Amino acid sequence: MTDYLETNRLNWDDRAELHATDMTGRYPIARVLSGGSSLHALEAGEIGDVTGKDIVHLQCHIGLDTLSLKHLGALSVTGLDFSPNAISAARDFAGRAGTQATFVEASVYDAVAVLERQTYDMVFVTWGAIHWLPDIRRWAQVVARLLRPGGRLYLLDGHPQMFQYEGVDGGLSLAYGWRTPADAPLLFEEGHTYTGDPRPLTHRRMYEWFHPLSDIVNALVQAGLRLDFLNEHEILTWRHYPGMIETGEDQFELGPGLPRIPLSFSIGARRPA
Ligand SMILES: C[S@@+](CC[C@H](N)C(=O)[O-])C[C@H]1O[C@@H](n2cnc3c(N)ncnc32)[C@H](O)[C@@H]1O
C-alpha cells in the first residue's frame, strides 16, 4: 500500500510544482493572493456559513481553497497534504497573501496523529480527493475524529459513476468496475498534468481507487456521522472526457446528445452534538 501512495506522492509533487507556477489560468493564484476566493459557485453555495469556524482542509494541494476559506470568514484554517511541494507552495502563498493559515505535510491517514488530536467545526474535502485513497472506511474514521460534536463534513468530488467511463469516439464507454479493491488499484499514466501546461511530468504513474457511493455514505454513517444531504450534479471542474463542453469558469458538462450521468456529488454530514 505504501508503494502505491509513494508513487502517487511523487506524481503529485511534480504536479504541485507546475500548478504553483501555473500560467494556464487553471489556478486563480493572483485572485487568492489579493484576498479573493478560488471556490466555485457549487461549493460556495453548499458549504454554508463559514464565519468564525475552525476548518481543516484535507488534501489541500497548493492551499488556494484553504486560504479562500479564511478570506470568506473562517476563524482558523489548516491545510493538510502529503506532497512537500504542495505544502511549501501553500505556505509561500499564505505569506504572500498575508493570510494566517497552518499547512501540515502528512498523509490523510495520519491526520489525527499529526494534528495533535485537535478538532474542528468543519472538515472540507473537494474535487479530486477520495479516489486517491485506498480505504474509504479509514478515511471516514479520520474525518469523524477530526470533527467536534456538532462539526460538519463538506465533501464534493467526482461521481463514482462518472469515473467508470472513458470517452471514446465522442461517446462514453464503460471501462472500469464500480469498486476498486484496496490491494488492486487502477494504474494510470499521464505525461502532462490536467491544466494544459506543456511542461512534462517526470513521475507519470498514479494509482486510483473508485469507491461506490454506498461505500462512502455507509463509511461516514458507521464512523458516527449523520447525513444532512447527498446531492448529485451534472457538472465537473475539469474536462474528464474529450467531448465535454465548458459552460462556465472551470465548469464542464457533457455535450449535447450524450445521455446524462452524474458527474460529481456532494455530501454534507455532521457529528452529532
Ligand atoms: C486534485 S488535488 C485536490 C485539489 C484540492 N481540492 C484543492 O483545493 O486544490 C489532490 C491532492 O490530494 C493529495 N493527496 C493524494 N493522496 C493523499 C494522501 N494519501 N494523503 C494526503 N494527501 C494526498 C495530493 O498531494 C494532491 O495535492
Side-chain angles (χ1 to χ4, degrees):
M1 203 68 68
T2 313
D3 285 351
Y4 298 139
L5 296 191
E6 178 57 12
T7 299
N8 285 350
R9 194 188 62 75
L10 292 170
N11 178 274
W12 276 111
D13 239 11
D14 283 5
R15 290 180 197 259
E17 196 177 333
L18 300 181
H19 298 170
T21 52
D22 178 56
M23 282 177 300
T24 68
R26 171 68 177 74
Y27 284 98
I29 295 169
R31 191 194 306 160
V32 175
L33 292 187
S34 59
S37 168
S38 53
L39 265 58
H40 305 92
L42 179 54
E43 56 264 31
E46 286 192 327
I47 50 169
D49 190 6
V50 296
T51 314
K53 307 286 187 210
D54 293 319
I55 301 180
V56 64
H57 179 192
L58 300 181
Q59 297 176 250
C60 68
H61 198 43
I62 56 175
L64 296 182
D65 282 3
T66 325
L67 299 176
S68 301
L69 290 164
K70 179 75 174 152
H71 296 164
L72 290 169
L75 179 63
S76 77
V77 290
T78 301
L80 179 142
D81 200 286
F82 73 172
S83 153
N85 282 347
I87 290 300
S88 122
R91 286 181 182 146
D92 175 55
F93 289 149
R96 284 160 62 189
T99 301
Q100 182 63 44
T102 303
F103 288 101
V104 178
E105 181 191 319
S107 166
V108 163
Y109 293 124
D110 297 329
V112 175
V114 297
L115 296 173
E116 293 166 3
R117 304 192 180 277
Q118 216 173 312
T119 55
Y120 299 86
D121 298 307
M122 178 181 276
V123 174
F124 179 87
V125 184
T126 61
W127 295 128
I130 58 172
H131 54 104
W132 302 106
L133 305 178
D135 187 338
I136 201 68
R137 291 180 69 172
R138 212 171 131 210
W139 168 82
Q141 286 159 7
V142 169
V143 169
R145 288 189 60 183
L146 290 174
L147 285 173
R148 297 179 179 144
R152 298 187 290 124
L153 163 71
Y154 179 70
L155 168 66
L156 170 64
D157 215 332
H159 198 287
Q161 190 176 347
M162 179 276 300
F163 281 125
Q164 282 193 261
Y165 291 87
E166 273 187 350
V168 177
D169 297 333
L172 301 186
S173 171
L174 188 56
Y176 305 105
W178 73 314
R179 173 180 279 126
T180 315
D183 58 356
L186 297 161
L187 171 62
F188 296 96
E189 281 200 60
E190 285 175 6
H192 293 86
T193 191
Y194 46 80
T195 57
D197 195 315
R199 293 173 290 177
L201 295 171
T202 307
H203 301 93
R204 299 162 160 232
R205 296 181 135 215
M206 52 204 180
Y207 291 100
E208 296 186 43
W209 293 265
F210 301 154
H211 306 291
L213 208 45
S214 56
D215 282 8
I216 300 164
V217 169
N218 286 328
L220 292 170
V221 170
Q222 283 159 15
L225 302 191
R226 294 219 184 113
L227 234 57
D228 286 331
F229 60 84
L230 164 59
N231 294 328
E232 297 177 290
H233 313 281
E234 292 189 8
I235 57 174
L236 260 189
T237 52
W238 66 90
R239 195 188 297 278
H240 195 78
Y241 312 115
M244 289 176 79
I245 52 171
E246 194 159 4
T247 54
E249 188 191 343
D250 260 0
Q251 180 173 303
F252 298 87
E253 295 182 31
L254 291 169
L258 284 176
R260 314 302 279 178
I261 60 167
L263 299 178
S264 53
F265 75 100
S266 50
I267 287 178
R270 73 179 62 230
R271 188 172 156 184

